[in-house]
Amino acid sequence: MTAFTARELTVALDRTPVLSGVTCAAAAGGWLALIGPNGAGKSTLIRAAAGLVPYQGEILLDGVDVRSMRARERARLIAYVPQEPVLPPDMTVEQYVLLGRTPHLSYLGSPGRHDRARAAAALERLDVARFAARRLARMSGGERQRVVLARALAAEPGVLLLDEPTSMLDVGRQQQVLELVDGLRAGSGLTVVSALHDLTAAGQYADQLVMLHGGRVAAYGPAADVLTAELIQAVYAARVTVTAGPDGRPVVAPLRRAADGGPC
Amino acid sequence: MRKAGALGAAAVFLIAAALVSALVGAANLNPLATAAALADKIPFIRLPTSLSAVDQAVLFQIRLPRIVAGALVGALLSVAGAGYQGVFRNPLVDSGMLGASAGAGLGATIAIVYLGGAGPSAVPAAAFVGSLAGVAIASLAGAASAARGPVSSGTATLLLAGVAVGLFLTAVQTFILERSTQVLQQVYAWLLGSLSGASWQQVASILPYAAVAVAVILLHGRHLDVLAVGDEEARTLGMRPALVRGIVVAACTLAAASAVAVSGLIGFVGIIVPHVARRLSGPSYRTVLPLSLLSGAGFLVLADTLARTVLSPAELPIGVVTALVGSPAFIWVLKGTRPVNV
């Protein structure tokens, strides 16, 4: 169980500010969703938290600044799943998932029985153990997503960073992945920080939402406070209605322009 | 188990190649007596041999050092090629693309043209230094340009710098050669590679470098596997890609430079052997590296056996043999197995 906090996070890429003073947090075992239009800074926040872009401000894990940690120590606590992971086509699923143990190995160490057992457990957990000997090139899109999550899980992290995990998936697959992540969160006390482009899905799964706009926080809080028609209109320039779904969580539906003004 | 099987087969291949090479040649050695004489050299084994004193001299002073040198050169070129390919995530990279061959060629040319009286070790030493210098210049140039660009382009920049530095050094070499045409044949003979001058002394002089380089490369198999997912993901796994790349490139360059000092330039081995190894064992460098080492050693011993027997008593440059035999064999392998990506 690891609490995640970003405090006054500021990132400039090529001297262009991309994030400006963003503060947000996920409780231990919680789910923080980053939403906002394209280019708002969602991926940059995830990448800063993963240690891939230089930033000002602080990333705290259970109150400890990750800058004070060594690279491997930090990698043991934070697992990162990029939007388009690199999957070496000839590597087997088993070999790939075992790479997730890298943060636990010393420089000249090699994976031992314990590491193999952890990798095998992650394969079981994500229901891909039967593909262990299969090459990554032969896995379907949905299976690959599971394999990538298995690699992240093999590290036994406290925080899982997901950059748009569902952007390429149809609605069924999207739901499966989100359910899967939610199950991992509930089952192993993982803290999830994810960029999500689907507003309704973000409202369904996350307990805290940050809406980013031009690198700044436009709104931050539970779904009901962040997913309002006014905010979405202001940030996305989109016309939507927000209604309460059967579970009381907000459902965001885009609206076509009024019939008389629309194209025929 | 696939790993153990492949490594075992490669070891058997190497031993068989060495035995064949020991038996083939102008002096006809009795196979059984030769095997006995060789086994006698293994610690704790004592075997009488019927080999004459002259035959023993041929075996131990002429053929064996050449076999060992060939095995060493093949092993070094192949394991270095595999290492470079892992670091750059590109199956077509070898030491030549980083300025090592051109640096070695320039070094050897300078030694032949200007240091003619400096003794027999001047050319190998100059080639060794030139090879290291070529890669060092390419790395510095690449690092200087990469510092101004996006981080992700670092490896491509280094390769481009290597190609540019290689072309430059080759041009300098050509310039020197144009002014001293009387040594052209000697330089070209060296450039095409040969093991005809192999001696125990030569083997001993590169052994320390070779041992260090090979040990360092073999210890980084796991790191190369992690690098296969890209620098970014490798970093989020707690690795330092730039550090690993620097260490492995330095070790591979030392290995390639040691090989060049013994044999001159032998192309192609560093690309085909790792490729075949990858096809046999899968992409994990923890297997590809040792497998390349063993099968590269066997391959070059065989190639050298052909080089010194086909036109006997004349010798073919070994680089010609590796290309003549290696290319068709390589295409056959390409055709017969599924495609491999690094």
PDB file of all heavy atoms in Angstrom, chain A residues 47 51-52 72 75 80 85-86 89-90 102-103 105-107 109 135 151, chain B residues 220 222-223 226 228-229 232-233 235-238 247 283 286 338 340-341:
ATOM      1  N   ARG A  47       4.652  10.484 -17.152  1.00  0.00           N
ATOM      2  CA  ARG A  47       6.062  10.264 -17.472  1.00  0.00           C
ATOM      3  C   ARG A  47       6.986  10.905 -16.443  1.00  0.00           C
ATOM      4  O   ARG A  47       8.066  10.383 -16.156  1.00  0.00           O
ATOM      5  CB  ARG A  47       6.363  10.773 -18.878  1.00  0.00           C
ATOM      6  CG  ARG A  47       5.741   9.870 -19.969  1.00  0.00           C
ATOM      7  CD  ARG A  47       5.723  10.532 -21.328  1.00  0.00           C
ATOM      8  NE  ARG A  47       7.052  10.990 -21.707  1.00  0.00           N
ATOM      9  CZ  ARG A  47       8.001  10.182 -22.171  1.00  0.00           C
ATOM     10  NH1 ARG A  47       7.751   8.911 -22.316  1.00  0.00           N
ATOM     11  NH2 ARG A  47       9.176  10.647 -22.467  1.00  0.00           N
ATOM     12  N   GLY A  51       9.739   9.062 -13.852  1.00  0.00           N
ATOM     13  CA  GLY A  51      11.143   9.460 -13.866  1.00  0.00           C
ATOM     14  C   GLY A  51      11.699   9.637 -15.263  1.00  0.00           C
ATOM     15  O   GLY A  51      12.907   9.607 -15.459  1.00  0.00           O
ATOM     16  N   LEU A  52      10.828   9.810 -16.261  1.00  0.00           N
ATOM     17  CA  LEU A  52      11.301   9.885 -17.644  1.00  0.00           C
ATOM     18  C   LEU A  52      11.496  11.305 -18.140  1.00  0.00           C
ATOM     19  O   LEU A  52      12.152  11.518 -19.151  1.00  0.00           O
ATOM     20  CB  LEU A  52      10.320   9.148 -18.574  1.00  0.00           C
ATOM     21  CG  LEU A  52      10.287   7.635 -18.366  1.00  0.00           C
ATOM     22  CD1 LEU A  52       9.207   7.000 -19.222  1.00  0.00           C
ATOM     23  CD2 LEU A  52      11.644   7.022 -18.691  1.00  0.00           C
ATOM     24  N   ARG A  72      16.818   1.890  -8.772  1.00  0.00           N
ATOM     25  CA  ARG A  72      16.193   0.572  -8.635  1.00  0.00           C
ATOM     26  C   ARG A  72      15.138   0.568  -7.534  1.00  0.00           C
ATOM     27  O   ARG A  72      14.100  -0.066  -7.649  1.00  0.00           O
ATOM     28  CB  ARG A  72      17.264  -0.484  -8.319  1.00  0.00           C
ATOM     29  CG  ARG A  72      18.067  -0.880  -9.541  1.00  0.00           C
ATOM     30  CD  ARG A  72      18.684  -2.245  -9.332  1.00  0.00           C
ATOM     31  NE  ARG A  72      19.681  -2.239  -8.282  1.00  0.00           N
ATOM     32  CZ  ARG A  72      19.729  -3.143  -7.313  1.00  0.00           C
ATOM     33  NH1 ARG A  72      18.852  -4.111  -7.265  1.00  0.00           N
ATOM     34  NH2 ARG A  72      20.663  -3.066  -6.397  1.00  0.00           N
ATOM     35  N   ALA A  75      12.137   2.072  -8.919  1.00  0.00           N
ATOM     36  CA  ALA A  75      11.513   1.170  -9.891  1.00  0.00           C
ATOM     37  C   ALA A  75      10.792   0.017  -9.197  1.00  0.00           C
ATOM     38  O   ALA A  75       9.871  -0.563  -9.758  1.00  0.00           O
ATOM     39  CB  ALA A  75      12.575   0.631 -10.855  1.00  0.00           C
ATOM     40  N   TYR A  80       5.486   1.225 -14.549  1.00  0.00           N
ATOM     41  CA  TYR A  80       4.986   2.121 -15.585  1.00  0.00           C
ATOM     42  C   TYR A  80       4.576   1.307 -16.799  1.00  0.00           C
ATOM     43  O   TYR A  80       5.333   0.479 -17.289  1.00  0.00           O
ATOM     44  CB  TYR A  80       6.101   3.112 -15.939  1.00  0.00           C
ATOM     45  CG  TYR A  80       5.928   3.895 -17.220  1.00  0.00           C
ATOM     46  CD1 TYR A  80       4.921   4.851 -17.335  1.00  0.00           C
ATOM     47  CD2 TYR A  80       6.786   3.709 -18.290  1.00  0.00           C
ATOM     48  CE1 TYR A  80       4.781   5.578 -18.503  1.00  0.00           C
ATOM     49  CE2 TYR A  80       6.663   4.442 -19.460  1.00  0.00           C
ATOM     50  CZ  TYR A  80       5.651   5.373 -19.562  1.00  0.00           C
ATOM     51  OH  TYR A  80       5.519   6.106 -20.718  1.00  0.00           O
ATOM     52  N   PRO A  85       3.629   0.008 -25.381  1.00  0.00           N
ATOM     53  CA  PRO A  85       4.829  -0.667 -24.883  1.00  0.00           C
ATOM     54  C   PRO A  85       5.607  -1.310 -26.034  1.00  0.00           C
ATOM     55  O   PRO A  85       5.012  -1.692 -27.045  1.00  0.00           O
ATOM     56  CB  PRO A  85       4.274  -1.762 -23.960  1.00  0.00           C
ATOM     57  CG  PRO A  85       2.839  -1.463 -23.780  1.00  0.00           C
ATOM     58  CD  PRO A  85       2.400  -0.634 -24.934  1.00  0.00           C
ATOM     59  N   VAL A  86       6.924  -1.380 -25.876  1.00  0.00           N
ATOM     60  CA  VAL A  86       7.763  -2.062 -26.864  1.00  0.00           C
ATOM     61  C   VAL A  86       7.730  -3.549 -26.539  1.00  0.00           C
ATOM     62  O   VAL A  86       8.101  -3.962 -25.446  1.00  0.00           O
ATOM     63  CB  VAL A  86       9.215  -1.551 -26.798  1.00  0.00           C
ATOM     64  CG1 VAL A  86      10.093  -2.308 -27.783  1.00  0.00           C
ATOM     65  CG2 VAL A  86       9.258  -0.055 -27.062  1.00  0.00           C
ATOM     66  N   PRO A  89       9.311  -8.910 -30.601  1.00  0.00           N
ATOM     67  CA  PRO A  89       8.415  -9.926 -31.145  1.00  0.00           C
ATOM     68  C   PRO A  89       8.830 -11.367 -30.878  1.00  0.00           C
ATOM     69  O   PRO A  89       7.974 -12.229 -30.749  1.00  0.00           O
ATOM     70  CB  PRO A  89       8.427  -9.639 -32.656  1.00  0.00           C
ATOM     71  CG  PRO A  89       9.523  -8.681 -32.895  1.00  0.00           C
ATOM     72  CD  PRO A  89       9.826  -7.993 -31.621  1.00  0.00           C
ATOM     73  N   ASP A  90      10.149 -11.624 -30.780  1.00  0.00           N
ATOM     74  CA  ASP A  90      10.575 -13.006 -30.620  1.00  0.00           C
ATOM     75  C   ASP A  90      10.769 -13.420 -29.172  1.00  0.00           C
ATOM     76  O   ASP A  90      11.070 -14.568 -28.880  1.00  0.00           O
ATOM     77  CB  ASP A  90      11.881 -13.238 -31.387  1.00  0.00           C
ATOM     78  CG  ASP A  90      11.617 -13.230 -32.875  1.00  0.00           C
ATOM     79  OD1 ASP A  90      10.778 -14.033 -33.308  1.00  0.00           O
ATOM     80  OD2 ASP A  90      12.204 -12.407 -33.585  1.00  0.00           O
ATOM     81  N   THR A 102      13.534  -6.941 -12.988  1.00  0.00           N
ATOM     82  CA  THR A 102      14.795  -6.204 -13.082  1.00  0.00           C
ATOM     83  C   THR A 102      15.093  -5.312 -11.872  1.00  0.00           C
ATOM     84  O   THR A 102      16.217  -5.316 -11.377  1.00  0.00           O
ATOM     85  CB  THR A 102      14.811  -5.372 -14.384  1.00  0.00           C
ATOM     86  OG1 THR A 102      14.606  -6.261 -15.481  1.00  0.00           O
ATOM     87  CG2 THR A 102      16.124  -4.644 -14.572  1.00  0.00           C
ATOM     88  N   PRO A 103      14.122  -4.549 -11.352  1.00  0.00           N
ATOM     89  CA  PRO A 103      14.452  -3.668 -10.224  1.00  0.00           C
ATOM     90  C   PRO A 103      14.894  -4.427  -8.969  1.00  0.00           C
ATOM     91  O   PRO A 103      15.479  -3.836  -8.077  1.00  0.00           O
ATOM     92  CB  PRO A 103      13.146  -2.914  -9.952  1.00  0.00           C
ATOM     93  CG  PRO A 103      12.286  -3.142 -11.126  1.00  0.00           C
ATOM     94  CD  PRO A 103      12.747  -4.383 -11.806  1.00  0.00           C
ATOM     95  N   LEU A 105      16.991  -7.000  -9.036  1.00  0.00           N
ATOM     96  CA  LEU A 105      18.267  -7.686  -9.266  1.00  0.00           C
ATOM     97  C   LEU A 105      19.421  -6.703  -9.138  1.00  0.00           C
ATOM     98  O   LEU A 105      19.337  -5.577  -9.607  1.00  0.00           O
ATOM     99  CB  LEU A 105      18.283  -8.299 -10.672  1.00  0.00           C
ATOM    100  CG  LEU A 105      17.154  -9.283 -10.992  1.00  0.00           C
ATOM    101  CD1 LEU A 105      17.236  -9.732 -12.440  1.00  0.00           C
ATOM    102  CD2 LEU A 105      17.224 -10.474 -10.054  1.00  0.00           C
ATOM    103  N   SER A 106      20.518  -7.159  -8.534  1.00  0.00           N
ATOM    104  CA  SER A 106      21.711  -6.321  -8.476  1.00  0.00           C
ATOM    105  C   SER A 106      22.352  -6.283  -9.858  1.00  0.00           C
ATOM    106  O   SER A 106      21.973  -7.045 -10.744  1.00  0.00           O
ATOM    107  CB  SER A 106      22.700  -6.886  -7.464  1.00  0.00           C
ATOM    108  OG  SER A 106      23.178  -8.129  -7.922  1.00  0.00           O
ATOM    109  N   TYR A 107      23.355  -5.400 -10.033  1.00  0.00           N
ATOM    110  CA  TYR A 107      23.874  -5.166 -11.381  1.00  0.00           C
ATOM    111  C   TYR A 107      24.312  -6.457 -12.064  1.00  0.00           C
ATOM    112  O   TYR A 107      24.013  -6.687 -13.227  1.00  0.00           O
ATOM    113  CB  TYR A 107      25.049  -4.179 -11.351  1.00  0.00           C
ATOM    114  CG  TYR A 107      25.427  -3.681 -12.722  1.00  0.00           C
ATOM    115  CD1 TYR A 107      24.762  -2.612 -13.301  1.00  0.00           C
ATOM    116  CD2 TYR A 107      26.421  -4.323 -13.462  1.00  0.00           C
ATOM    117  CE1 TYR A 107      25.082  -2.176 -14.571  1.00  0.00           C
ATOM    118  CE2 TYR A 107      26.745  -3.889 -14.737  1.00  0.00           C
ATOM    119  CZ  TYR A 107      26.073  -2.812 -15.279  1.00  0.00           C
ATOM    120  OH  TYR A 107      26.388  -2.389 -16.547  1.00  0.00           O
ATOM    121  N   GLY A 109      23.564  -9.487 -10.900  1.00  0.00           N
ATOM    122  CA  GLY A 109      22.717 -10.603 -10.493  1.00  0.00           C
ATOM    123  C   GLY A 109      21.907 -11.138 -11.657  1.00  0.00           C
ATOM    124  O   GLY A 109      21.765 -10.493 -12.686  1.00  0.00           O
ATOM    125  N   ARG A 135       5.608 -16.735 -28.301  1.00  0.00           N
ATOM    126  CA  ARG A 135       6.303 -15.499 -28.661  1.00  0.00           C
ATOM    127  C   ARG A 135       5.336 -14.321 -28.593  1.00  0.00           C
ATOM    128  O   ARG A 135       4.155 -14.465 -28.905  1.00  0.00           O
ATOM    129  CB  ARG A 135       6.866 -15.594 -30.081  1.00  0.00           C
ATOM    130  CG  ARG A 135       7.943 -16.643 -30.231  1.00  0.00           C
ATOM    131  CD  ARG A 135       8.610 -16.528 -31.582  1.00  0.00           C
ATOM    132  NE  ARG A 135       7.660 -16.597 -32.673  1.00  0.00           N
ATOM    133  CZ  ARG A 135       7.650 -15.757 -33.700  1.00  0.00           C
ATOM    134  NH1 ARG A 135       8.515 -14.776 -33.758  1.00  0.00           N
ATOM    135  NH2 ARG A 135       6.770 -15.885 -34.662  1.00  0.00           N
ATOM    136  N   ARG A 151       3.917  -8.019 -16.561  1.00  0.00           N
ATOM    137  CA  ARG A 151       5.294  -7.588 -16.347  1.00  0.00           C
ATOM    138  C   ARG A 151       5.355  -6.515 -15.259  1.00  0.00           C
ATOM    139  O   ARG A 151       6.215  -6.543 -14.379  1.00  0.00           O
ATOM    140  CB  ARG A 151       5.894  -7.023 -17.640  1.00  0.00           C
ATOM    141  CG  ARG A 151       7.378  -6.787 -17.530  1.00  0.00           C
ATOM    142  CD  ARG A 151       7.893  -5.875 -18.611  1.00  0.00           C
ATOM    143  NE  ARG A 151       7.759  -4.484 -18.238  1.00  0.00           N
ATOM    144  CZ  ARG A 151       7.975  -3.460 -19.051  1.00  0.00           C
ATOM    145  NH1 ARG A 151       8.314  -3.678 -20.300  1.00  0.00           N
ATOM    146  NH2 ARG A 151       7.837  -2.226 -18.631  1.00  0.00           N
TER     147      ARG A 151
ATOM    148  N   HIS B 220      26.752  -9.068 -19.363  1.00  0.00           N
ATOM    149  CA  HIS B 220      25.701  -8.097 -19.668  1.00  0.00           C
ATOM    150  C   HIS B 220      24.557  -8.658 -20.506  1.00  0.00           C
ATOM    151  O   HIS B 220      23.743  -7.890 -21.015  1.00  0.00           O
ATOM    152  CB  HIS B 220      26.298  -6.856 -20.337  1.00  0.00           C
ATOM    153  CG  HIS B 220      26.969  -5.943 -19.349  1.00  0.00           C
ATOM    154  ND1 HIS B 220      28.224  -6.191 -18.851  1.00  0.00           N
ATOM    155  CD2 HIS B 220      26.531  -4.821 -18.737  1.00  0.00           C
ATOM    156  CE1 HIS B 220      28.547  -5.235 -17.993  1.00  0.00           C
ATOM    157  NE2 HIS B 220      27.540  -4.390 -17.901  1.00  0.00           N
ATOM    158  N   ARG B 222      21.863 -10.171 -19.587  1.00  0.00           N
ATOM    159  CA  ARG B 222      20.565  -9.801 -19.022  1.00  0.00           C
ATOM    160  C   ARG B 222      20.240  -8.325 -19.315  1.00  0.00           C
ATOM    161  O   ARG B 222      19.090  -7.974 -19.606  1.00  0.00           O
ATOM    162  CB  ARG B 222      20.590 -10.037 -17.506  1.00  0.00           C
ATOM    163  CG  ARG B 222      19.310  -9.677 -16.800  1.00  0.00           C
ATOM    164  CD  ARG B 222      19.385 -10.024 -15.341  1.00  0.00           C
ATOM    165  NE  ARG B 222      20.257  -9.131 -14.579  1.00  0.00           N
ATOM    166  CZ  ARG B 222      19.898  -7.908 -14.180  1.00  0.00           C
ATOM    167  NH1 ARG B 222      18.716  -7.425 -14.498  1.00  0.00           N
ATOM    168  NH2 ARG B 222      20.733  -7.165 -13.473  1.00  0.00           N
ATOM    169  N   HIS B 223      21.255  -7.467 -19.238  1.00  0.00           N
ATOM    170  CA  HIS B 223      21.022  -6.043 -19.491  1.00  0.00           C
ATOM    171  C   HIS B 223      20.590  -5.805 -20.936  1.00  0.00           C
ATOM    172  O   HIS B 223      19.746  -4.961 -21.210  1.00  0.00           O
ATOM    173  CB  HIS B 223      22.280  -5.241 -19.180  1.00  0.00           C
ATOM    174  CG  HIS B 223      22.724  -5.391 -17.751  1.00  0.00           C
ATOM    175  ND1 HIS B 223      23.348  -6.519 -17.294  1.00  0.00           N
ATOM    176  CD2 HIS B 223      22.592  -4.577 -16.692  1.00  0.00           C
ATOM    177  CE1 HIS B 223      23.592  -6.390 -16.013  1.00  0.00           C
ATOM    178  NE2 HIS B 223      23.145  -5.216 -15.614  1.00  0.00           N
ATOM    179  N   VAL B 226      16.990  -6.518 -21.257  1.00  0.00           N
ATOM    180  CA  VAL B 226      16.142  -5.425 -20.755  1.00  0.00           C
ATOM    181  C   VAL B 226      16.121  -4.281 -21.771  1.00  0.00           C
ATOM    182  O   VAL B 226      15.073  -3.686 -22.035  1.00  0.00           O
ATOM    183  CB  VAL B 226      16.633  -4.907 -19.383  1.00  0.00           C
ATOM    184  CG1 VAL B 226      15.754  -3.765 -18.899  1.00  0.00           C
ATOM    185  CG2 VAL B 226      16.635  -6.033 -18.357  1.00  0.00           C
ATOM    186  N   ALA B 228      16.061  -4.456 -24.778  1.00  0.00           N
ATOM    187  CA  ALA B 228      15.198  -4.791 -25.921  1.00  0.00           C
ATOM    188  C   ALA B 228      13.841  -4.107 -25.819  1.00  0.00           C
ATOM    189  O   ALA B 228      13.158  -3.940 -26.829  1.00  0.00           O
ATOM    190  CB  ALA B 228      15.024  -6.307 -26.025  1.00  0.00           C
ATOM    191  N   VAL B 229      13.411  -3.712 -24.620  1.00  0.00           N
ATOM    192  CA  VAL B 229      12.121  -3.022 -24.518  1.00  0.00           C
ATOM    193  C   VAL B 229      12.288  -1.504 -24.675  1.00  0.00           C
ATOM    194  O   VAL B 229      11.337  -0.754 -24.468  1.00  0.00           O
ATOM    195  CB  VAL B 229      11.384  -3.324 -23.182  1.00  0.00           C
ATOM    196  CG1 VAL B 229      11.081  -4.796 -23.072  1.00  0.00           C
ATOM    197  CG2 VAL B 229      12.160  -2.838 -21.981  1.00  0.00           C
ATOM    198  N   GLU B 232      13.468   3.870 -22.642  1.00  0.00           N
ATOM    199  CA  GLU B 232      12.532   4.452 -21.673  1.00  0.00           C
ATOM    200  C   GLU B 232      12.041   3.420 -20.680  1.00  0.00           C
ATOM    201  O   GLU B 232      12.096   3.617 -19.468  1.00  0.00           O
ATOM    202  CB  GLU B 232      11.334   5.042 -22.409  1.00  0.00           C
ATOM    203  CG  GLU B 232      11.642   6.334 -23.101  1.00  0.00           C
ATOM    204  CD  GLU B 232      10.472   7.284 -23.060  1.00  0.00           C
ATOM    205  OE1 GLU B 232       9.332   6.798 -22.991  1.00  0.00           O
ATOM    206  OE2 GLU B 232      10.705   8.502 -23.082  1.00  0.00           O
ATOM    207  N   GLU B 233      11.539   2.300 -21.211  1.00  0.00           N
ATOM    208  CA  GLU B 233      11.018   1.291 -20.300  1.00  0.00           C
ATOM    209  C   GLU B 233      12.142   0.689 -19.471  1.00  0.00           C
ATOM    210  O   GLU B 233      11.949   0.336 -18.305  1.00  0.00           O
ATOM    211  CB  GLU B 233      10.251   0.219 -21.088  1.00  0.00           C
ATOM    212  CG  GLU B 233       8.950   0.771 -21.635  1.00  0.00           C
ATOM    213  CD  GLU B 233       8.158  -0.272 -22.410  1.00  0.00           C
ATOM    214  OE1 GLU B 233       7.818  -1.302 -21.822  1.00  0.00           O
ATOM    215  OE2 GLU B 233       7.896  -0.049 -23.593  1.00  0.00           O
ATOM    216  N   ARG B 235      14.642   2.305 -18.354  1.00  0.00           N
ATOM    217  CA  ARG B 235      14.871   3.253 -17.250  1.00  0.00           C
ATOM    218  C   ARG B 235      13.833   3.079 -16.150  1.00  0.00           C
ATOM    219  O   ARG B 235      14.151   3.138 -14.962  1.00  0.00           O
ATOM    220  CB  ARG B 235      14.838   4.694 -17.771  1.00  0.00           C
ATOM    221  CG  ARG B 235      16.164   5.128 -18.338  1.00  0.00           C
ATOM    222  CD  ARG B 235      16.015   6.433 -19.077  1.00  0.00           C
ATOM    223  NE  ARG B 235      15.720   7.563 -18.204  1.00  0.00           N
ATOM    224  CZ  ARG B 235      15.270   8.744 -18.644  1.00  0.00           C
ATOM    225  NH1 ARG B 235      15.057   8.915 -19.928  1.00  0.00           N
ATOM    226  NH2 ARG B 235      15.046   9.717 -17.804  1.00  0.00           N
ATOM    227  N   THR B 236      12.562   2.863 -16.544  1.00  0.00           N
ATOM    228  CA  THR B 236      11.540   2.709 -15.511  1.00  0.00           C
ATOM    229  C   THR B 236      11.698   1.372 -14.786  1.00  0.00           C
ATOM    230  O   THR B 236      11.065   1.161 -13.766  1.00  0.00           O
ATOM    231  CB  THR B 236      10.109   2.819 -16.081  1.00  0.00           C
ATOM    232  OG1 THR B 236       9.874   1.723 -16.968  1.00  0.00           O
ATOM    233  CG2 THR B 236       9.915   4.119 -16.819  1.00  0.00           C
ATOM    234  N   LEU B 237      12.522   0.473 -15.330  1.00  0.00           N
ATOM    235  CA  LEU B 237      12.823  -0.767 -14.611  1.00  0.00           C
ATOM    236  C   LEU B 237      14.065  -0.599 -13.734  1.00  0.00           C
ATOM    237  O   LEU B 237      14.606  -1.575 -13.213  1.00  0.00           O
ATOM    238  CB  LEU B 237      13.027  -1.917 -15.603  1.00  0.00           C
ATOM    239  CG  LEU B 237      11.744  -2.391 -16.304  1.00  0.00           C
ATOM    240  CD1 LEU B 237      12.069  -3.324 -17.463  1.00  0.00           C
ATOM    241  CD2 LEU B 237      10.828  -3.091 -15.312  1.00  0.00           C
ATOM    242  N   GLY B 238      14.542   0.637 -13.619  1.00  0.00           N
ATOM    243  CA  GLY B 238      15.656   0.911 -12.719  1.00  0.00           C
ATOM    244  C   GLY B 238      17.016   0.748 -13.372  1.00  0.00           C
ATOM    245  O   GLY B 238      18.030   0.768 -12.686  1.00  0.00           O
ATOM    246  N   ILE B 247      29.433   0.687 -21.357  1.00  0.00           N
ATOM    247  CA  ILE B 247      30.258  -0.447 -20.920  1.00  0.00           C
ATOM    248  C   ILE B 247      30.314  -1.512 -22.017  1.00  0.00           C
ATOM    249  O   ILE B 247      31.386  -2.021 -22.360  1.00  0.00           O
ATOM    250  CB  ILE B 247      29.694  -1.055 -19.616  1.00  0.00           C
ATOM    251  CG1 ILE B 247      29.870  -0.058 -18.470  1.00  0.00           C
ATOM    252  CG2 ILE B 247      30.378  -2.374 -19.289  1.00  0.00           C
ATOM    253  CD1 ILE B 247      29.196  -0.493 -17.177  1.00  0.00           C
ATOM    254  N   PRO B 283      15.708 -14.945 -28.868  1.00  0.00           N
ATOM    255  CA  PRO B 283      16.347 -13.643 -28.835  1.00  0.00           C
ATOM    256  C   PRO B 283      17.120 -13.321 -27.546  1.00  0.00           C
ATOM    257  O   PRO B 283      17.802 -12.319 -27.495  1.00  0.00           O
ATOM    258  CB  PRO B 283      15.161 -12.690 -28.974  1.00  0.00           C
ATOM    259  CG  PRO B 283      14.041 -13.420 -28.322  1.00  0.00           C
ATOM    260  CD  PRO B 283      14.279 -14.879 -28.575  1.00  0.00           C
ATOM    261  N   ARG B 286      21.223 -13.749 -23.081  1.00  0.00           N
ATOM    262  CA  ARG B 286      21.903 -14.621 -22.123  1.00  0.00           C
ATOM    263  C   ARG B 286      22.302 -15.923 -22.805  1.00  0.00           C
ATOM    264  O   ARG B 286      23.202 -16.604 -22.343  1.00  0.00           O
ATOM    265  CB  ARG B 286      20.988 -14.885 -20.928  1.00  0.00           C
ATOM    266  CG  ARG B 286      20.677 -13.580 -20.188  1.00  0.00           C
ATOM    267  CD  ARG B 286      19.647 -13.777 -19.122  1.00  0.00           C
ATOM    268  NE  ARG B 286      20.176 -14.577 -18.042  1.00  0.00           N
ATOM    269  CZ  ARG B 286      19.410 -15.159 -17.119  1.00  0.00           C
ATOM    270  NH1 ARG B 286      18.109 -15.029 -17.181  1.00  0.00           N
ATOM    271  NH2 ARG B 286      19.943 -15.838 -16.157  1.00  0.00           N
ATOM    272  N   ARG B 338      12.086 -18.981 -39.703  1.00  0.00           N
ATOM    273  CA  ARG B 338      11.181 -17.842 -39.604  1.00  0.00           C
ATOM    274  C   ARG B 338      11.972 -16.566 -39.339  1.00  0.00           C
ATOM    275  O   ARG B 338      13.064 -16.604 -38.817  1.00  0.00           O
ATOM    276  CB  ARG B 338      10.165 -18.075 -38.487  1.00  0.00           C
ATOM    277  CG  ARG B 338      10.805 -18.229 -37.141  1.00  0.00           C
ATOM    278  CD  ARG B 338       9.765 -18.490 -36.080  1.00  0.00           C
ATOM    279  NE  ARG B 338      10.372 -18.988 -34.875  1.00  0.00           N
ATOM    280  CZ  ARG B 338      11.082 -18.246 -34.038  1.00  0.00           C
ATOM    281  NH1 ARG B 338      11.271 -16.961 -34.294  1.00  0.00           N
ATOM    282  NH2 ARG B 338      11.602 -18.775 -32.958  1.00  0.00           N
ATOM    283  N   VAL B 340      13.406 -13.176 -37.800  1.00  0.00           N
ATOM    284  CA  VAL B 340      13.757 -12.833 -36.423  1.00  0.00           C
ATOM    285  C   VAL B 340      13.937 -11.334 -36.337  1.00  0.00           C
ATOM    286  O   VAL B 340      14.555 -10.729 -37.191  1.00  0.00           O
ATOM    287  CB  VAL B 340      15.081 -13.513 -36.017  1.00  0.00           C
ATOM    288  CG1 VAL B 340      15.505 -13.050 -34.641  1.00  0.00           C
ATOM    289  CG2 VAL B 340      14.934 -15.013 -36.027  1.00  0.00           C
ATOM    290  N   ASN B 341      13.347 -10.770 -35.326  1.00  0.00           N
ATOM    291  CA  ASN B 341      13.629  -9.363 -35.046  1.00  0.00           C
ATOM    292  C   ASN B 341      14.389  -9.304 -33.746  1.00  0.00           C
ATOM    293  O   ASN B 341      14.227 -10.148 -32.885  1.00  0.00           O
ATOM    294  CB  ASN B 341      12.342  -8.567 -34.916  1.00  0.00           C
ATOM    295  CG  ASN B 341      11.570  -8.575 -36.206  1.00  0.00           C
ATOM    296  OD1 ASN B 341      11.979  -7.968 -37.171  1.00  0.00           O
ATOM    297  ND2 ASN B 341      10.472  -9.299 -36.229  1.00  0.00           N
TER     298      ASN B 341
END
